[in-house]
């Protein structure tokens, strides 16, 4: 897999489709590698004429890790943020947005459509607000504004995320543990088949495992604060997609994001959780394509989507 250098770090990336196609940058969520984007989703975008670009965020996958920083004390960082005290972090979401910009620069892409999931949506929000001239459209999926007072994960989702695997050296047990987390936060109406889920988790772990990196990314989110003021500055066409059944980043977070971005469009998908299940790929592709091409008329929307 190729690597490029940006902002003094090495970034692993992958492209798909014709470089002369419509540039579209995909950004995954917390601790998730570029391979977490479903193949059917990427292939579908290519078939629609997009030049698809993916990359591993810093502290994730095959990109640079800041291992000398160790594992941060997230409970303390969270407490400091609640007290409105400074939280120290090696990097913040602005730096991660600069990484995304560095990827576009290295590939010679002047302007791209931005699609971000969860933390990737946060980074996309920052990128779009800070560098509007480099962004064609933004699709922020299952993400949030970070505004104080928004609801957090459900007790079941929180328990699944904080539960430790029985044996951290056994790949099979780790894969089973990871699959259990994805089941807990996934779409209740569109469950991913168990065999496929375990295959994906095992493949990701064989590629790279960096729990400390995930914690450092979380620290960056906490240290960055909310994006309320920033979202109000976004001037590019913005689509907010959120699952009505998201147990990790509840629907209220997506509603708040769409409320803050001028003229943003909110699309709620009933039965969708915090994942990209196979059953929704075609519908997500249709929605993103219509948004990117400026053709989002209500009568053209798949029936699954409900305009708010």
């Amino acid at each position: 897999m190729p690597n490029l250098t940006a902002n003094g770090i090495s970034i692993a990336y992958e492209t798909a489709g014709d470089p002369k196609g419509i540039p579209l940058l995909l950004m995954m969520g917390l601790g998730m590698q570029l391979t977490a984007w479903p193949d059917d989703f990427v292939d579908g975008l290519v078939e629609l004429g997009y030049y698809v670009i993916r990359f591993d965020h810093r502290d994730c996958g095959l990109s640079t890790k800041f291992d000398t920083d160790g594992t941060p004390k997230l409970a303390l960082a969270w407490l400091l943020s609640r007290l409105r005290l400074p939280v120290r972090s090696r990097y913040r979401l602005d730096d991660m947005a600069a990484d995304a910009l560095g990827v576009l620069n290295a590939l010679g892409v002047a302007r791209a459509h931005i699609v971000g999931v969860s933390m990737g949506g946060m980074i996309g929000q920052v990128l779009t607000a800070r560098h509007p001239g480099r962004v064609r459209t933004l699709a922020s999926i299952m993400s949030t504004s970070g505004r104080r007072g928004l609801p957090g994960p459900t007790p079941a989702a929180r328990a699944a995320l904080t539960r430790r695997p029985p044996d951290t050296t056994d790949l099979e047990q780790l894969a089973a543990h990871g699959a259990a987390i994805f089941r807990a936060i996934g779409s209740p109406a569109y469950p991913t088949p168990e065999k496929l889920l375990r295959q994906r988790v095992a493949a990701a772990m064989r590629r790279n495992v960096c729990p400390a990196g995930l914690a450092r990314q979380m620290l960056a989110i906490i240290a960055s604060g909310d994006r309320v003021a920033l979202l109000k500055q976004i001037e590019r066409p913005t689509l907010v997609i959120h699952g009505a059944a998201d147990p990790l980043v509840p629907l209220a977070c997506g509603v708040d994001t769409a409320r803050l971005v001028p003229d943003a469009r909110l699309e709620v998908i009933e039965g969708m959780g915090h994942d990209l299940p196979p059953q929704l790929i075609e519908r997500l592709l249709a929605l993103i394509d219509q948004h990117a091409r400026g053709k989002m008329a209500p009568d053209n929307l798949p029936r699954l989507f409900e305009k708010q």
Side-chain angles (χ1 to χ4, degrees), residues 10-11 19 26 38 48 55 77 85 93 97 112 128 130 137 141 166 173 189 192 205 221 225 248 254 307:
S10 177
I11 299 176
L26 297 176
L48 289 167
F55 69 99
L85 296 173
L93 290 176
T128 304
R130 302 284 194 212
T137 65
I141 305 173
Q173 289 194 33
T192 299
M205 290 182 172
I221 294 174
L248 187 62
K307 185 173 184 300

Side-chain angles (χ1 to χ4, degrees), residues 30 32 117-118 142 153-162 178-192 197 243 245-250 271-277:
L30 181 71
M32 301 298 288
V117 164
S118 197
M142 62 185 87
T154 64
R158 191 183 300 276
L161 289 170
T162 56
I181 292 176
F182 284 107
R183 280 197 303 274
I185 66 175
S187 300
Y190 307 98
T192 299
L197 192 57
D246 192 328
L248 187 62
V249 182
M272 178 178 172
H274 202 79
D275 65 346
L276 301 173

